[in-house]
Amino acid sequence: MNILVTGGAGFIGANFIFYMLEHHPEDRIVCVDKLTYAGNLSTLAPVMERENFRFVRADICDREAVYGLFEEERPDIVVNFAAESHVDRSIEDPGLFLQTNILGTAVMMDACRKYGVRRFHQVSTDEVYGDLPLDRPDLFFTESTPLHTSSPYSSSKASADLLALAYYRTYGLPVTLSRCSNNYGPYQFPEKLIPLMIANALNDKPLPVYGEGLNVRDWLYVEDHCRAIDLILRKGREGEVYNIGGHNEMRNIDIVKLICKALDKPESLITYVADRKGHDMRYAIDPAKIHGELGWLPTTMFAEGIQKTIQWYLDNRGWWENIISGEYQDYYEKMYGNR
């Protein structure tokens, strides 16, 4: 198959490309990425010379560029990872998120309709469900949980989800959709919790924790997520939503303390900062549907996955040290410097 992956120079998209090239070497992967701040071409260096891989720099909102690429490549499957994805940035600049996450998705689906793509898969997030109370550990997000967004980011993703399902119902576009819990693993941009804490701890810098750090997230090792998407592409039912969760719930503060311990750094580095606006308290996914229909379950528990992740950042300091200089450092100071 000829598979077009948008946002493939980002964290999850790149890991998906690595997974697919390893497990399906008979397929061809075309990666499209605008290379914004979170897209890093060096991430794709291990596969850039592969005969069955091609990288194209383009914006998914650029209809002419997208149609030209579809005309040239005629993809069988499109997997849409491309998105602005950081909540804090969406609070600072909502318009950018609406442009990429909604209008960009529409452009991609229009191209899929025009060129007869066999499957369009929209990669979404559990954040579209809002949050769950900390005192109800028995509650989980299911595919029928009402959408109840808290930020411009999650609102833009929910909008794209609804648009994708509308294209399935109205036009018959063969759509599938997945909503995942928090991913972690290699190549994650260091504005996210786990790589940020690892990088700061290694540099003996303060570890900024929102509020009291009591927010709970369901952590999913990125390779497990990639395996789930692969299953959905090959066996998932058109027009369906699949929740992908790790069954690895952890409080933010406990993760930060675990990282301190693993790196032999003092907990005195932890600094509590003013909480994020509209900060969701708990995310937790019930993956019963994807397990029952496709046989998927996460195979990497958090204790194993966090150690593998920490070791990767220790072994690849050059990758993330290049990122945390310059523009990102200016943004970091703006977000945490006065809190």
Side-chain angles (χ1 to χ4, degrees):
M1 292 190 297
N2 203 13
I3 304 173
L4 192 151
V5 177
T6 70
F11 165 48
I12 306 177
N15 276 281
F16 179 73
I17 288 171
F18 298 152
Y19 180 90
M20 296 297 282
L21 289 174
E22 178 182 351
H23 291 87
H24 303 286
E26 72 281 4
D27 292 339
R28 171 177 164 81
I29 304 291
V30 179
C31 170
V32 178
D33 201 294
K34 186 180 177 181
L35 294 181
T36 59
Y37 77 96
N40 191 340
L41 198 55
S42 68
T43 299
L44 295 171
V47 299
M48 287 294 282
E49 302 303 319
R50 294 276 294 264
E51 290 186 2
N52 59 338
F53 176 77
R54 178 190 177 192
F55 175 81
V56 177
R57 184 172 186 176
D59 183 350
I60 64 169
C61 296
D62 184 342
R63 191 175 294 270
E64 183 178 355
V66 169
Y67 281 24
L69 181 60
F70 272 67
E71 184 74 38
E72 185 177 349
E73 289 289 348
R74 301 283 175 158
D76 300 298
I77 290 175
V78 173
V79 186
N80 186 33
F81 290 98
E84 297 287 344
S85 66
H86 195 262
V87 174
D88 287 335
R89 290 181 185 264
S90 80
I91 294 171
E92 291 291 314
D93 184 7
L96 181 61
F97 285 70
L98 306 184
Q99 181 76 21
T100 299
N101 298 357
I102 303 173
L103 299 180
T105 300
V107 169
M108 294 304 301
M109 291 193 296
D110 285 342
C112 289
R113 289 178 57 216
K114 179 178 175 65
Y115 291 94
V117 166
R118 285 161 41 189
R119 177 67 60 86
F120 174 83
H121 183 77
Q122 173 70 4
V123 180
S124 189
T125 170
D126 59 357
E127 293 189 44
V128 300
Y129 297 123
D131 64 352
L132 297 166
L134 293 178
D135 61 355
R136 290 293 306 276
D138 57 311
L139 294 180
F140 296 88
F141 296 137
T142 70
E143 289 80 1
S144 60
T145 299
L147 305 187
H148 187 68
T149 60
S150 303
S151 69
Y153 161 61
S154 57
S155 297
S156 69
K157 293 297 289 185
S159 299
D161 290 2
L162 294 174
L163 193 61
L165 294 174
Y167 268 59
Y168 168 73
R169 181 166 180 173
T170 302
Y171 304 115
L173 184 68
V175 164
T176 46
L177 202 153
S178 59
R179 295 174 178 147
C180 68
S181 55
N182 284 46
N183 279 221
Y184 69 105
Y187 296 106
Q188 188 170 26
F189 192 79
E191 69 184 356
K192 303 292 187 175
L193 177 70
I194 289 175
L196 173 62
M197 296 303 152
I198 294 171
N200 278 19
L202 288 172
N203 288 321
D204 297 307
K205 294 176 61 177
L207 308 179
V209 175
Y210 283 131
E212 298 177 65
L214 303 181
N215 307 74
V216 173
R217 299 294 182 261
D218 176 14
W219 292 93
L220 176 67
Y221 193 64
V222 66
E223 187 173 341
D224 282 334
H225 185 193
C226 297
R227 182 165 49 85
I229 293 175
D230 183 27
L231 278 171
I232 294 169
L233 293 177
R234 295 168 195 277
K235 299 180 180 179
R237 290 183 291 137
E238 293 178 10
E240 292 294 317
V241 177
Y242 293 92
N243 281 352
I244 308 170
H247 275 319
N248 283 291
E249 290 186 53
M250 294 280 292
R251 299 190 309 174
N252 288 349
I253 188 61
D254 295 330
I255 290 177
V256 177
K257 289 180 178 179
L258 187 158
I259 290 171
C260 286
K261 183 176 180 180
L263 297 175
D264 196 24
K265 298 293 183 178
E267 291 185 7
S268 58
L269 288 174
I270 297 173
T271 304
Y272 295 94
V273 300
D275 208 353
R276 166 191 290 162
K277 296 176 182 178
H279 200 176
D280 291 335
M281 289 307 299
R282 174 176 172 252
Y283 301 150
I285 274 184
D286 178 2
K289 179 177 178 178
I290 191 171
H291 173 56
E293 289 192 16
L294 306 181
W296 179 90
L297 281 176
T299 59
T300 305
M301 295 298 102
F302 190 79
E304 175 192 358
I306 191 65
Q307 291 301 323
K308 290 167 65 174
T309 300
I310 291 171
Q311 190 59 53
W312 187 89
Y313 280 89
L314 286 170
D315 294 340
N316 294 273
R317 291 188 67 134
W319 181 87
W320 56 266
E321 283 178 342
N322 285 337
I323 291 174
I324 62 175
S325 59
E327 180 183 349
Y328 170 69
Q329 198 60 40
D330 293 339
Y331 168 79
Y332 178 88
E333 292 300 328
K334 180 179 179 182
M335 292 309 304
Y336 299 110
N338 298 314
R339 299 175 81 150

